[in-house]
């Protein structure tokens, strides 16, 4: 199970938020692992935080409740929550707004542990939102044809509030060439322009 979510970061707290996540409490990381979250990353651009993780357990709601009850995690949230601003479009009961995964591709087997991680984002403009989303949902042919020719794997695209967010992993080999191929195939429409996000947190 893959999960993507969004929340705003207040600009006056950006530097402090990044520093905190470079020194995440060990107890927080331990609780995350015990609650079966893996490959957890947070990315930032223009005051928007995008998180991606993979859930490997069999009772997601229970594991999320365990995180919420954890005292060290609660202490961590006392620091981080005031820095964030939840989206108005989030569902009832959410803090981080859930997203729709509209595309996933990962035909390569045996992911390299040394792979890097990256996220891109693009705002859909020009009145083509429905067309873009439907194209990706039916496995947009150019994208599907391009990915096997690169060192990119575990590639997902999420949608929320007129924006697309993609997460993927890659090796350094032919990086610039692979990214150029990926961005060209992700155009879908000429109006779609992708920007890289800054990674502020990761745990395996």
């Amino acid at each position: 199970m893959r999960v993507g979510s969004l929340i705003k970061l207040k600009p006056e707290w950006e530097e402090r938020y990044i520093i905190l996540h470079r020194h995440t409490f060990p107890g927080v990381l331990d609780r995350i692992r015990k609650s079966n979250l893996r490959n957890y990353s947070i990315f930032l651009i223009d005051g928007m935080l995008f998180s991606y993780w993979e859930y490997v357990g069999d009772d997601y709601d229970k594991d999320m409740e365990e995180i919420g009850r954890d005292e060290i995690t609660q202490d961590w949230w006392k620091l981080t929550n005031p820095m964030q601003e939840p989206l108005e479009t989030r569902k009832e009961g959410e803090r981080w707004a859930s997203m729709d995964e509209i595309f996933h591709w990962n035909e390569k087997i045996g992911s390299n542990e040394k792979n890097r991680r990256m996220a891109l984002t693009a705002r859909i403009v020009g009145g083509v939102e429905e067309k873009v989303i439907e194209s990706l949902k039916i496995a947009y042919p150019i994208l599907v044809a391009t990915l096997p020719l690169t060192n990119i794997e575990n590639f997902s695209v999420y949608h929320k509030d007129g924006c697309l967010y993609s997460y993927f992993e890659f090796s350094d080999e032919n990086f610039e060439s692979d990214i150029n191929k990926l961005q060209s195939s992700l155009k879908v429409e000429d109006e779609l322009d992708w920007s890289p996000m800054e990674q502020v947190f990761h745990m395996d």
Side-chain angles (χ1 to χ4, degrees):
M1 176 181 177
R2 296 173 300 275
V3 178
S5 55
L6 292 176
I7 198 168
K8 292 180 182 179
L9 179 63
K10 297 175 182 177
E12 64 269 26
W13 289 108
E14 181 174 315
E15 182 178 0
R16 177 64 175 163
Y17 189 88
I18 292 172
I19 292 172
L20 269 177
H21 280 75
R22 288 175 181 165
H23 305 280
T24 306
F25 297 170
V28 171
L29 300 178
D30 184 57
R31 181 65 262 172
I32 289 172
R33 292 188 186 96
K34 287 179 178 177
S35 290
N36 297 305
L37 302 189
R38 301 290 185 271
N39 201 18
Y40 186 177
S41 294
I42 299 176
F43 300 88
L44 170 68
I45 190 171
D46 297 334
M48 186 67 76
L49 293 167
F50 165 54
S51 73
Y52 170 91
W53 71 62
E54 296 162 8
Y55 178 69
V56 297
D58 55 17
D59 193 335
Y60 183 77
D61 291 339
K62 179 181 178 181
D63 281 331
M64 295 303 102
E65 289 173 3
E66 291 290 341
I67 291 176
R69 285 195 293 264
D70 182 70
E71 292 184 2
I72 298 177
T73 299
Q74 291 174 6
D75 288 340
W76 173 257
W77 287 343
K78 289 176 183 176
L79 296 175
T80 60
N81 283 6
M83 302 178 183
Q84 302 165 340
E85 181 181 344
L87 302 186
E88 293 182 0
T89 54
R90 69 191 187 280
K91 296 176 183 177
E92 184 177 353
E94 290 184 338
R95 180 166 181 83
W96 286 69
S98 57
M99 309 174 74
D100 296 324
E101 184 183 70
I102 59 176
F103 182 89
H104 180 73
W105 180 91
N106 192 29
E107 290 187 5
K108 298 183 180 180
I109 300 174
S111 178
N112 187 341
E113 292 181 358
K114 296 182 179 179
N115 274 3
R116 295 169 61 188
R117 297 159 185 84
M118 190 170 185
L120 303 172
T121 184
R123 177 167 292 280
I124 304 172
V125 297
V128 295
E129 182 170 351
E130 184 176 347
K131 180 179 179 181
V132 168
I133 293 171
E134 288 305 313
S135 295
L136 288 168
K137 282 184 176 180
I138 62 172
Y140 189 61
I142 296 177
L143 181 56
V144 172
T146 299
L147 285 168
L149 305 178
T150 71
N151 292 298
I152 293 169
E153 54 189 273
N154 200 22
F155 180 86
S156 293
V157 179
Y158 294 87
H159 171 250
K160 182 73 175 177
D161 298 340
C163 290
L164 297 175
Y165 295 81
S166 71
Y167 168 88
F168 56 93
E169 297 155 16
F170 62 93
S171 69
D172 288 326
E173 184 179 358
N174 300 320
F175 170 68
E176 290 188 6
S177 174
D178 285 348
I179 294 301
N180 287 335
K181 291 176 183 176
L182 175 63
Q183 289 184 315
S184 295
S185 65
L186 279 170
K187 282 287 185 180
V188 184
E189 295 289 333
D190 291 338
E191 296 88 347
L192 201 58
D193 187 22
W194 291 84
S195 300
M197 305 182 73
E198 176 186 2
Q199 181 172 297
V200 299
F201 172 79
H202 176 75
M203 64 161 286
D204 293 327

